[in-house]
Amino acid sequence: MSHIESQQPIQMQDDDVSLAEVLRPLWNRRWVIIFCTLLVTLAVAIYVSLLKPTYQATAILLIGNNKPANTLSINNAFNESSATAEQIQTQYELLRSRKFAERVIARLNLTENEEFSGQKYKKLLPWQNEKKLTQKRSIDYVVKAFQQRLTISPMAKTELVRISFSAYDPVLAMRVANQVGVTYLQYQDEIHTASKETTSQWLVDQLEELGKKLEASEHALQQFRESESIVDIHGVVGLVSAELTELTSAAIRAARREDDLKVTYDYIQKNKNNLQELIELPEVSHDDLYIGLKGQEEIVNRKHSELSKRYGPKHPKMIAINAEIASLEKRIAEHTDNVVLALTKDYFAAKEKAVATNARLTAAKQDFLRLSRLENKFSQLEREVETNKELYSNYLVRLKEADAMGNYKTNFYVRFIDKAVVPKSPYKPNKILALIVAVVLSVIFISIIIIMRELLIDTLNSRRKLDNFHEAPVLAILPKFKLDKSAQQRNKYYQDNRFVEAVRSLRTALLFRQDKAPPKIIAITSSVPNEGKSTVALELARSFSEMEKVLLIEGDMRHPTIAKSLKLEPNRPGLSNLLAKTHEINECIVRDDHVKLDILTSGITPSNPLAFLSMKRFGMLIKVFGNFYDRIIIETPPVNAVSDAVIISRNVDSVIYIVHGGKTKRDEISAGLRTLKQVSAPIDGVVINRSENIDTTKYHNKYYNNPANIIKLPVRRQA
């Protein structure tokens, strides 16, 4: 057992033990894996031994293609060019086809052959399947079985193909493989003969139909031309298209001109009573006449300024110069009004021009769309005529070439390279390979089941799950060990060194707690029965008794087990008798002869144990015992089963919660701890019992099982 930090959960390694935790269940259940593997292997061995030996015969066929020196141009009628890879692959699929299989079956009369009786096992008894062998199988069944046994495998980078057939009879395997090649040769001859007879007639029929289609398409084209009065539809469409382009450009220019004048017009309307704002218009301020008038006005203003210094306002010269200034201002105003009026007229003219241009553009578009539809229809009819003409000419050439082909042969040529021979030895079943595969797959499948079960089961059976357990600290992990029955008969207590040392580590964790004093009265409980709380209580009491005076109380009066473990009388007086005041303390307490340990069994089972434990006398007894003993350990019933442990927890200093590492579910643990926490029970932590997959130390077996490392000291007996 590794050292345990006081009052702290056991800190786990994450990365360096993850693989070990996954593989450890396999080692723990190695005998299950071995047994199941042997069982499956034995079943496979029996099955393989019952199978009939299968023989395979193989013939090699050459499927090539002719490439004559003077190849004619007829490619589609006879397909007389060199065969493509797809065409060669088609021949392979033809050999595998159902129709081809039926031909071979009929030639060899395989429907009456006992090879296809469906019996693949050896005839162990003379009368076995005797009736079945005399029955004639249906053609569907025989074809399916034939295709399953036939293998067509092309040889890479060659024109050779292997034809293999498997059968229980080696002679039949040879016959079928050769017959497949012979049937294929005959089939190629039939195809070529039928092709020569049907190609010419097919071409004549096609030419007759194509002639009718050509005549109908030409008539439809001419009717459309006359009904729409079409002379040169493409030229007309071109002219309309050019006009449409020109009108589009004109409409864009007119719209742009209108937009520009609209801005000026809006400005004029906004400032029509403000001469100075109107003069700011570029059309006015940049006008040559305005610039001349403005220059004259500046000259007159300078002259007026000079005369005003020498003469009064009523002087004739001043009156004359003022009249001249007024005349110039009047001319400037009149000129500005004329420019504004011209701009207004230009705006309305541009607006009318834009409307007229858009109207012409709309009419041109409609005309263009109408002509485009006519052109499309005309082109469609024209293409149909041209297509029918080309097809008619091509088929006419094909017909003349077909008549000239004569006895020209097909592009495929087939011949045997190697005919099949009678196989000497069977090729399956491969018994050694089957057994190896059975062993490997069995081990893999069973291992996966075991690993998935360990990973998916909701218990605290791995380090990873302990890392995610936060309901209470983990005080210790007690390993699972094989019970030595002979040693158990000689000694009441467990002698497994790893288990004993783990219990001592639990004792150390309780004695050296960091935040509080060591507990004097300790209750041992669990979630459900059969988690090992009685064993842990007994072994922990024995461990404490090595150092001090200890009393072990069996508080489970419903299903007591400690008395049986210690080989005591089952009905001897105990805790229930003390609570009922039928016996004295010295009559109920048993003193162990080997260790310094006193034991108070449960006594006679009462009808209502919970009522007995709820008595004040129980608490008083615990206090009295505390005056005489250094440590008191109470084994209690499971928390989730009854409420006895909850009542007992009120009289103790520490509660240790026992969890079965491989069986107790997380929900059961959480429910039990939650019940104890509701009554503020002093829970010190959880002890994982019978752990298989959590390797708490790597040197237990080597260190504690070595007799040289163990020194037996004499036990001091109790006075």
Side-chain angles (χ1 to χ4, degrees), residues 492-493 537-538 541-542 550-554 561-568 572-575 578 585-593 595-602 625 629 633 718:
K492 304 174 185 178
Y493 304 98
L538 183 60
R542 185 185 74 160
V550 181
L551 173 63
L552 173 62
I553 301 176
E554 186 177 22
T561 58
I562 291 180
K564 182 180 178 181
S565 300
L566 296 176
K567 301 176 183 179
L568 300 175
R572 73 176 317 280
L575 178 60
L578 281 179
I585 292 179
N586 57 357
E587 295 177 312
C588 298
I589 293 180
V590 180
R591 183 160 297 173
D592 195 300
D593 296 334
V595 295
K596 209 166 34 172
L597 174 63
D598 289 346
I599 303 165
L600 177 61
T601 59
S602 63
F625 289 145
Y629 292 95
I633 297 176
Q718 182 175 352

Side-chain angles (χ1 to χ4, degrees), residues 26 33 441-453:
L26 302 181
I33 297 175
L441 293 181
S442 299
V443 171
I444 293 175
F445 182 71
I446 298 169
S447 300
I448 290 175
I449 292 177
I450 292 174
I451 292 174
M452 293 302 297
R453 179 183 178 276

